[in-house]
Structures are given as structure tokens and as C-alpha cells.
Amino acid sequence: MTLVQMQPRPVIANPVHRTVAEVMDAAGPQVCDDMSVEVALSVMAAARTGRLVVCDQDGQCTGLVTQTELAAVRDSSAYTDRVRLRDILGEHGSFTSLVTTMAEAEHAMRSGRLGALPVVDEHGSALGILALSR
């Protein structure tokens, strides 16, 4: 008979009680809400990302825009080069905090039909992104 050394399994937090801080991704590029749609699309292309965190003049997170959303705005008949990110944020002004549980965040994202949500600190500064797995 051979002895087998067993390693204890790490204790995994209950998924219901896990917080957003445990699973969020880095925030990535952050841009000001007065940026034009065309410039934002260029920033996305250069950064090779599909989304940008949008902040106001004071550095407070005001939302998130995706490449798909920006392309749709640019391709619409109402588009002009004067359209700024703040003009199109609409419902995407949603965000969550580090202490929000994953269950709460997932519910909010699914009910709001959001694929990603900025994570902010107590001062409203973006810390990361929470994205739903597809």
C-alpha cells in the first residue's frame, strides 16, 4: 500500500456571497464624456477593445459605451460630428460598487440587458469592469 499525500481543497467562497471585487476585469481605457463618437471609435481600435469607460470632467464614471453602440450611432441618419459620448450614454449610466454581491450585480445586468458594467469606488472613480459570461 502506498501513502498518498492529500492537499486540502481551498475554501471557495459561496457564489451568492462573492463580491464584484473578486471577479471584475481591469477598467481599460477611460475617456471623457465630451469626446466625439469618431474619436472614441479610433481610441477603441488603437486599444483593441470593444468598450470604453466614460468619465465626466471631474473623473467620475458616467457609464460605458461599446463599439457596437458607437457604430450604430455613427451609421444612423441623425449622426453628425457634433455628437458626444455624453449625448448617447442614456441607460448606460449604470455602474456597481466593489461590495455588491455577484448575485445582485448579475440580476441588475440581466434585467437591464447590460453586457458589462463599470465598477466604481466610493468616490465614483472607475476601478474595473464586470462583464457577463456569454
Side-chain angles (χ1 to χ4, degrees):
M1 184 152 115
T2 307
L3 284 177
V4 177
Q5 189 172 15
M6 302 292 288
Q7 294 292 326
R9 285 187 179 180
V11 177
I12 298 174
N14 183 341
V16 173
H17 299 294
R18 285 188 352 185
T19 63
V20 167
E22 297 173 60
V23 296
M24 72 179 185
D25 296 324
Q30 297 181 31
V31 296
C32 193
D33 63 358
D34 66 351
M35 182 177 282
S36 72
V37 170
E38 283 298 327
V39 173
L41 283 166
S42 295
V43 169
M44 281 185 190
R48 297 183 181 184
T49 186
R51 58 184 171 237
L52 296 172
V53 173
V54 181
C55 300
D56 65 13
Q57 298 292 338
D58 298 322
Q60 303 294 302
C61 178
T62 57
L64 183 85
V65 292
T66 67
Q67 186 174 17
T68 303
E69 292 166 332
L70 294 181
V73 168
R74 182 193 57 204
D75 296 341
S76 75
S77 60
Y79 176 75
T80 71
D81 61 357
R82 293 179 175 231
V83 176
R84 302 290 177 230
L85 296 179
R86 74 170 64 97
D87 301 330
I88 62 170
L89 275 177
E91 293 296 315
H92 301 293
S94 301
F95 41 84
T96 191
S97 76
L98 288 171
V99 296
T100 303
T101 66
M102 280 304 301
E104 293 169 327
E106 184 175 348
H107 175 73
M109 291 172 73
R110 290 198 190 282
S111 65
R113 297 184 179 180
L114 301 171
L117 202 56
V119 179
V120 298
D121 65 13
E122 64 275 4
H123 304 292
S125 298
L127 301 172
I129 300 278
L130 179 66
L132 286 177
S133 300
R134 296 281 178 206

